[in-house]
């Protein structure tokens, strides 16, 4: 069965304290892995797509990486406005639906 | 601005009542999706549509129905058969089913 597990469930950082969020997955072939940011009461906002092991994408303070079994979202020198829930989703070769993890809730304090 | 519009933002359902959630997109995307989000759980797929006049059930379709008569619109009806409808409902669209999905800002459904 396809599974997506995100860790930690919650993370509290001081402003400027870099860290990483993890997304581990087991799927029968990976068509793509997606990272989203979700603010309270809003829909998820697309951040990155990764398609193959070794691929990396960057946007401002965020960098996403992919291996054959997991993806990391690295946050460098975070600011309070980076506080949000970060969702990981995988698109397996079988089927059309995305499998979402439960998310990591990030709080960055000044 | 292109995007996905969901309405209403908040909706209340009485016992035995069907309610319909609206989703409209002007991104010219072929594929559209409905998800349900509950606290502490990942998004779960209710229905998806790859093209007009065609749709498939997702993992939790029981108690829900959809239609896709126009490319821009994919309304979701929560029927009285759905016994636990309280949730945050998200609509999404993508150029194709293997491309990133873009989401609306959701409808929060509660029971009166």
């Amino acid at each position: 069965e396809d599974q997506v597990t995100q860790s930690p469930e919650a993370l509290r950082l001081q402003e400027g304290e870099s860290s990483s969020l993890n997304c581990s997955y087991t799927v029968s072939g990976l068509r793509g892995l997606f990272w989203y940011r979700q603010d309270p009461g809003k829909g998820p906002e697309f951040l990155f797509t990764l398609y193959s092991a070794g691929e990396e994408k960057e946007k401002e303070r965020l960098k996403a990486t992919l291996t054959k079994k997991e993806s990391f979202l690295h946050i460098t020198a975070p600011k309070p406005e980076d506080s949000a829930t970060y969702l990981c989703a995988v698109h397996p070769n079988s089927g059309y639906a995305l499998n979402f993890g439960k998310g990591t809730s990030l709080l960055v304090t000044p | 601005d292109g995007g996905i519009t969901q309405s209403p933002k908040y909706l209340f359902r009485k016992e035995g009542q069907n309610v319909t959630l609206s989703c409209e997109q002007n991104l010219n995307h072929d594929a559209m999706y409905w998800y349900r989000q509950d606290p502490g759980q990942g998004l779960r797929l209710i229905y998806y549509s790859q093209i007009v006049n065609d749709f498939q059930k997702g993992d939790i379709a029981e108690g829900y129905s959809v239609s896709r008569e126009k490319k821009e619109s994919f309304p979701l009806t929560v029927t009285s058969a759905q016994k636990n409808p309280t949730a945050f409902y998200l609509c999404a669209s993508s150029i194709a089913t293997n491309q990133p999905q873009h989401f609306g800002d959701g409808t929060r459904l509660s029971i009166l």
Side-chain angles (χ1 to χ4, degrees):
Chain A
E1 183 181 327
D2 298 335
Q3 277 196 323
V4 181
T5 303
Q6 292 188 246
S7 62
E9 288 185 15
L11 181 63
R12 183 181 181 128
L13 299 173
Q14 290 275 346
E15 185 172 2
E17 180 187 0
S18 301
S19 188
S20 297
L21 312 182
N22 178 261
C23 172
S24 62
Y25 61 90
T26 53
V27 293
S28 51
L30 180 70
R31 193 178 292 182
L33 185 143
F34 304 89
W35 281 99
Y36 290 86
R37 168 193 170 125
Q38 186 175 22
D39 293 300
K42 299 284 190 179
E45 174 191 347
F46 170 70
L47 294 173
F48 303 110
T49 308
L50 301 166
Y51 290 108
S52 56
E55 190 174 359
E56 298 182 354
K57 294 272 181 73
E58 281 190 74
K59 179 180 178 180
E60 295 180 356
R61 295 177 293 282
L62 300 177
K63 179 180 177 180
T65 62
L66 181 66
T67 72
K68 288 187 177 179
K69 293 188 176 181
E70 58 191 350
S71 176
F72 291 94
L73 185 65
H74 307 278
I75 303 177
T76 302
K79 298 182 178 182
E81 52 261 42
D82 294 321
S83 298
T85 295
Y86 290 86
L87 302 174
C88 170
V90 300
H91 189 184
N93 282 338
S94 58
Y96 297 99
L98 295 183
N99 292 336
F100 280 85
K102 295 181 180 180
T104 293
S105 177
L106 174 66
L107 176 64
V108 182
T109 58
Chain B
D1 283 338
I4 300 173
T5 302
Q6 290 188 241
S7 62
K9 191 169 178 65
Y10 299 97
L11 187 58
F12 298 91
R13 196 190 87 170
K14 295 179 181 178
E15 289 285 338
Q17 186 182 44
N18 294 350
V19 293
T20 297
L21 285 60
S22 171
C23 177
E24 303 278 332
Q25 55 100 356
N26 60 3
L27 299 168
N28 200 33
H29 286 173
D30 283 317
M32 297 188 74
Y33 314 80
W34 275 105
Y35 291 90
R36 170 180 172 140
Q37 188 174 36
D38 295 283
Q41 295 199 39
L43 276 68
R44 292 182 290 168
L45 183 68
I46 305 173
Y47 269 96
Y48 66 97
S49 168
Q50 298 175 71
I51 200 167
V52 173
N53 291 323
D54 183 62
F55 48 83
Q56 286 80 40
K57 293 181 179 180
D59 298 324
I60 55 166
E62 185 175 350
Y64 301 97
S65 66
V66 293
S67 62
R68 187 86 186 276
E69 297 176 0
K70 298 187 299 181
K71 188 175 186 177
E72 303 79 19
S73 179
F74 191 40
L76 173 74
T77 296
V78 184
T79 75
S80 57
Q82 172 48 243
K83 297 307 178 187
N84 185 24
T86 298
F88 190 48
Y89 289 87
L90 288 161
C91 178
S93 71
S94 63
I95 294 173
T97 51
N98 63 346
Q99 295 298 312
Q101 296 178 15
H102 299 271
F103 287 81
D105 274 341
T107 293
R108 188 166 299 281
L109 176 62
S110 303
I111 299 300
L112 283 178

